[in-house]
Amino acid sequence: MMLFVDKHAVHAPAVFGTAVEAQRRTRGLQGVGPGTDSRTLWDRLDGETRRMVLDKLLREQGHLCVYCERTIGTGRSRLGAHVEHFLPRHPSRDEYPGLTWADGRDDLPPAEADAASVDYANLFAVCSNETGRDGLPLTCDKLRGSHRMALDPRDRKALRRLSYKRSGRVEPADPDDETVWDDIGRGEGDTGLLNLNARHLCNARRAAIARLMKLLMSAGDGRAVDTACEREIRNLLAERDPKEPFIEAKLYILTRRESMRAKYSDAYPA
């Protein structure tokens, strides 16, 4: 389960760009720059600017975590939210050897990471994952840290490598795709980078899918089910905030129906 985010359809707030440029000028006056500053441009931004960016990301994502697709950052959700950098602000040389590293200075963010720290296309809203206080395992970016991922929420083709089960599990479309397993984890001790098959996530996903199936089955015969299925797909694809939790899992299940697969192959490639 991972939310697709079309970054081509959104733009950074103008205030964000202004604040970034101000920090670039300040850093220049201080005699430091990309690859020589221990702080990225994002680290230098004030809290108000960061909160404004987070608020816009949340609205664009329908207040869903980009990784687990739970509701975040609303008054009704117990999960808070913060900004995730897909290319980490402070990556490791071992996992990102192709970046421009200063000789012998692994503590200095490479120039590419510095630029990406304020690249709006690199930013997502994710859950604060406060589950550790409830005795639940960590998931999403709190577990991932700065490790490199294979799956990219901006790439629909990459997300086609995922499949969703009525049991609530998320698995690779190709069971032998170890890079996907490495990202999502198999569950029961195998967390991968995101632990998306943690028991509490599988239970929540299974319950959401079960409610969806009950709604469809109550529609009646095959044609009525098709109508109900199409209505649900349209609702899920609609631009709204907040979006329904586990939207990608629901769309996957709905578009498995033969009558829906061809009709919505462009709107929701499967």
Side-chain angles (χ1 to χ4, degrees):
M1 55 195 269
M2 190 174 292
L3 183 68
F4 171 63
V5 181
D6 185 3
K7 285 292 189 177
H8 296 292
V10 296
H11 303 283
V15 175
F16 178 47
T18 301
V20 169
E21 288 308 312
Q23 288 304 321
R24 282 199 174 100
R25 290 194 297 272
T26 298
R27 190 161 63 177
L29 293 173
Q30 294 171 343
V32 293
T36 64
D37 189 356
S38 61
R39 293 189 298 164
T40 65
L41 284 167
W42 176 266
D43 297 326
R44 287 173 165 268
L45 294 175
D46 62 89
E48 183 178 351
T49 299
R50 295 189 199 184
R51 285 190 294 273
M52 178 268 299
V53 171
L54 174 60
D55 184 61
K56 189 168 190 294
L57 291 169
L58 283 168
R59 294 197 306 270
E60 290 166 358
Q61 293 175 207
H63 281 78
L64 298 183
C65 173
V66 76
Y67 293 138
C68 70
E69 294 189 284
R70 290 180 293 175
T71 300
I72 57 175
T74 70
R76 292 185 295 174
S77 171
R78 69 184 182 86
L79 288 173
H82 64 271
V83 175
E84 159 81 327
H85 291 74
F86 189 71
L87 172 60
R89 288 174 293 146
H90 301 277
S92 70
R93 189 190 291 260
D94 289 343
E95 296 208 26
Y96 294 87
L99 300 183
T100 308
W101 293 91
D103 291 341
R105 294 294 305 272
D106 290 2
D107 61 315
L108 296 177
E112 297 91 338
D114 180 70
S117 76
V118 289
D119 180 353
Y120 196 70
N122 189 54
L123 308 182
F124 299 97
V126 294
C127 63
S128 56
N129 201 201
E130 295 153 344
T131 53
R133 297 186 303 186
D134 304 328
L136 297 174
L138 289 176
T139 63
C140 304
D141 82 302
K142 289 295 185 183
L143 181 63
R144 176 204 174 194
S146 296
H147 293 291
R148 189 169 197 157
M149 284 177 49
L151 295 172
D152 187 335
R154 300 165 295 193
D155 184 352
R156 172 60 77 190
K157 183 177 180 180
L159 297 189
R160 292 184 198 176
R161 297 167 68 184
L162 294 173
S163 66
Y164 300 89
K165 311 301 178 185
R166 294 191 187 184
S167 65
R169 286 182 57 80
V170 54
E171 298 179 357
D174 175 0
D176 296 324
D177 193 338
E178 292 298 326
T179 57
V180 171
W181 281 123
D182 288 344
D183 278 2
I184 65 177
R186 288 178 166 83
E188 300 300 327
D190 180 349
T191 65
L193 294 181
L194 300 174
N195 202 15
L196 295 185
N197 280 311
R199 183 172 299 178
H200 66 287
L201 291 183
C202 287
N203 288 344
R205 205 178 301 132
R206 181 176 66 248
I209 293 172
R211 288 192 294 271
L212 174 64
M213 298 309 298
K214 183 178 180 180
L215 176 66
L216 295 179
M217 293 303 101
S218 67
D221 60 17
R223 182 173 296 179
V225 170
D226 282 347
T227 300
C229 189
E230 184 168 6
R231 182 176 61 248
E232 290 304 309
I233 292 174
R234 288 174 180 263
N235 287 338
L236 291 170
L237 289 174
E239 292 294 331
R240 60 181 56 182
D241 177 28
K243 295 181 183 292
E244 290 189 28
F246 312 117
I247 184 173
E248 297 289 342
K250 293 174 182 176
L251 284 168
Y252 181 91
I253 296 295
L254 290 167
T255 54
R256 295 309 89 193
R257 190 171 178 86
E258 189 64 35
S259 58
M260 297 296 108
R261 187 175 301 182
K263 193 167 188 177
Y264 286 95
S265 60
D266 292 332
Y268 186 75

